[in-house]
Amino acid sequence: MAVEERDPVTGRETTGHEWNGIKELDTPVPRGVLIFLVVTHIWAVAWWFFAPTWPLGSTYTKGLLGIDQRTTVEENLVRAQQARSVWTTRLETEPYETILADQQLMGIVRSTGHQLFGDNCAACHGVDGSGRAGYPDLTDDDWIWGGEPEAIEQTMRVGINTRHPDSRIGQMPAFGRDGILEREHVSNVASYVYSLSNPEYSTPENRERIEAGRTVFADNCAACHGDDATGNREVGAPNLADNRWVYGGDLQTIINSVHGGREGHMPTWDERLSNLDIRTLSLYVYDLGIVGR
Ligand code: HEC
Ligand code: HEC
């Protein structure tokens, strides 16, 4: 083994080993790396004593600091629950009026309500609650069954046209299909209803048919929808004069509603959602209605 042989090109010492005529320069580990290695080894050994480290079959070395991730998580959970229970209790017990006046609490209602709504209601009413044909818009402050939080809560609890003993029942008879009205009467009354929110439709050539429809309406529809067609929440008959529609407000869709009848189904939530969730959603939906006001 040749000692202190220098490489003629770099002037550095070689290791003295030779492999197939190639010699290796003797490059020591940089000091920084060496220090790093020493420090991390000391740190590791120290850590063995302080923190839980070595598995010993069914148990493990616990360490002097008593660190335990499980207790930490449990403590955090208890703390979060305590923080949460302050507002969950308020949401469950305080009158709606009080909660609505509390902007901080309403902030919580909006964020947790949005989540709940997305999980349970959005499939039918849309992510933003604006509905689609057959599923009412919950943001427009036009309510079939009532838009106060108490009314919304009741709608959610018993559902609409469900088997719940207290279910809200709203049935629009199939005037055409069941032969209650002749085809011409169906068409006339639909024209009348259409003209209520489309005044430009009342042209001289349509006037006769609209007037005929007005009579049909008074005789057959006013009992549920009201003399002025503004609806009746007792029987879930929607306002027909405000140009806001569940099924659609074009002439043909109105004819379809009158011909075939309508019976929307809204599930009950009494057993599927907790009291807290139902109250949160009632406030959330009420709040959506205010935004649309
Ligand atoms: C399976 C579809 C469906 C789901 C899911 C659903 N709804 Fe409904 N909802 C309806 C239908 C259909 C109506 C209208 C029924 C009618 O024609 O009277 C309705 C009506 C309502 C009304 C009454 C609106 C008014 O104008 O009075 C409220 C309030 C309401 N839903 C809230 C909710 C909430 C909150 C959820 C989520 C917990 C939800 N809905 C989930 C189908 C659904
Ligand atoms: C027994 C009560 C009752 C009578 C009578 C009645 N309706 Fe209805 N009508 C309802 C109910 C309830 C609904 C809502 C059904 C639903 O949403 O599922 C409705 C819905 C409608 C709709 C759909 C509204 C929309 O937003 O899309 C139209 C249109 C309508 N009725 C027109 C009439 C006309 C015209 C007559 C008379 C020929 C009439 N109704 C008679 C109860 C009635």
Side-chain angles (χ1 to χ4, degrees):
M1 197 158 75
V3 185
E4 283 223 9
E5 190 188 352
R6 283 190 185 271
D7 172 46
V9 181
T10 60
R12 300 263 295 272
E13 279 180 22
T14 72
T15 57
H17 306 292
E18 183 179 335
W19 292 274
N20 296 339
I22 299 169
K23 287 178 182 169
E24 193 186 8
L25 295 182
D26 182 11
T27 318
V29 177
R31 181 175 293 262
V33 173
L34 212 58
I35 293 174
F36 175 75
L37 282 175
V38 171
V39 170
T40 49
H41 276 76
I42 293 172
W43 173 259
V45 174
W47 200 240
W48 294 347
F49 289 100
F50 288 123
T53 28
W54 292 102
L56 304 171
S58 62
T59 176
Y60 54 91
T61 59
K62 300 275 190 313
L64 297 172
L65 292 181
I67 299 172
D68 183 356
Q69 305 262 316
R70 184 170 301 174
T71 5
T72 316
V73 169
E74 277 162 10
E75 274 165 19
N76 284 347
L77 275 181
V78 170
R79 216 168 300 139
Q81 231 146 39
Q82 274 163 356
R84 201 170 168 265
S85 76
V86 174
W87 59 263
T88 53
T89 318
R90 290 193 59 196
L91 281 182
E92 277 205 272
T93 55
E94 288 187 12
Y96 281 129
E97 221 178 314
T98 319
I99 302 170
L100 285 165
D102 186 329
Q103 276 317 302
Q104 205 189 346
L105 211 48
M106 282 309 288
I108 295 175
V109 165
R110 285 183 195 110
S111 59
T112 55
H114 186 72
Q115 180 87 32
L116 283 168
F117 195 87
D119 291 347
N120 297 287
C121 325
C124 289
H125 291 285
V127 177
D128 58 355
S130 62
R132 59 194 158 92
Y135 301 96
D137 187 339
L138 302 177
T139 66
D140 61 1
D141 200 40
D142 170 36
W143 300 95
I144 307 174
W145 297 100
E148 295 307 311
E150 292 82 1
I152 298 172
E153 179 181 337
Q154 177 70 3
T155 302
M156 286 179 64
R157 286 195 188 281
V158 302
I160 302 166
N161 297 324
T162 65
R163 279 194 222 138
H164 193 287
D166 300 322
S167 172
R168 295 195 187 284
I169 306 286
Q171 269 140 3
M172 161 76 190
F175 284 92
R177 204 181 53 217
D178 290 350
I180 308 168
L181 289 178
E182 284 164 33
R183 179 183 286 263
E184 197 196 339
H185 288 155
V186 169
S187 156
N188 289 346
V189 78
S191 296
Y192 166 69
V193 168
Y194 182 75
S195 74
L196 295 175
S197 39
N198 299 276
E200 76 286 351
Y201 182 71
S202 306
T203 55
E205 59 266 34
N206 289 334
R207 196 152 301 148
E208 200 178 324
R209 152 199 342 229
I210 291 172
E211 285 313 312
R214 189 193 299 275
T215 313
V216 177
F217 191 90
D219 295 343
N220 297 276
C221 323
C224 287
H225 288 282
D227 291 336
D228 53 0
T230 52
N232 178 355
R233 289 180 178 177
E234 291 299 313
V235 294
N239 186 339
L240 302 177
D242 62 357
N243 207 11
R244 283 177 167 157
W245 304 91
V246 180
Y247 298 94
D250 58 290
L251 192 51
Q252 187 55 52
T253 309
I254 295 175
I255 292 175
N256 294 349
S257 293
V258 181
H259 176 82
R262 298 288 187 191
E263 190 185 335
H265 291 271
M266 152 83 179
T268 61
W269 297 94
D270 226 4
E271 280 163 18
R272 275 189 268 182
L273 293 176
S274 68
N275 188 41
L276 171 69
D277 289 349
I278 290 183
R279 284 185 55 100
T280 307
L281 274 170
S282 303
L283 287 158
Y284 177 77
V285 170
Y286 173 77
D287 192 54
L288 285 182
I290 298 182
V291 175
R293 204 168 276 177

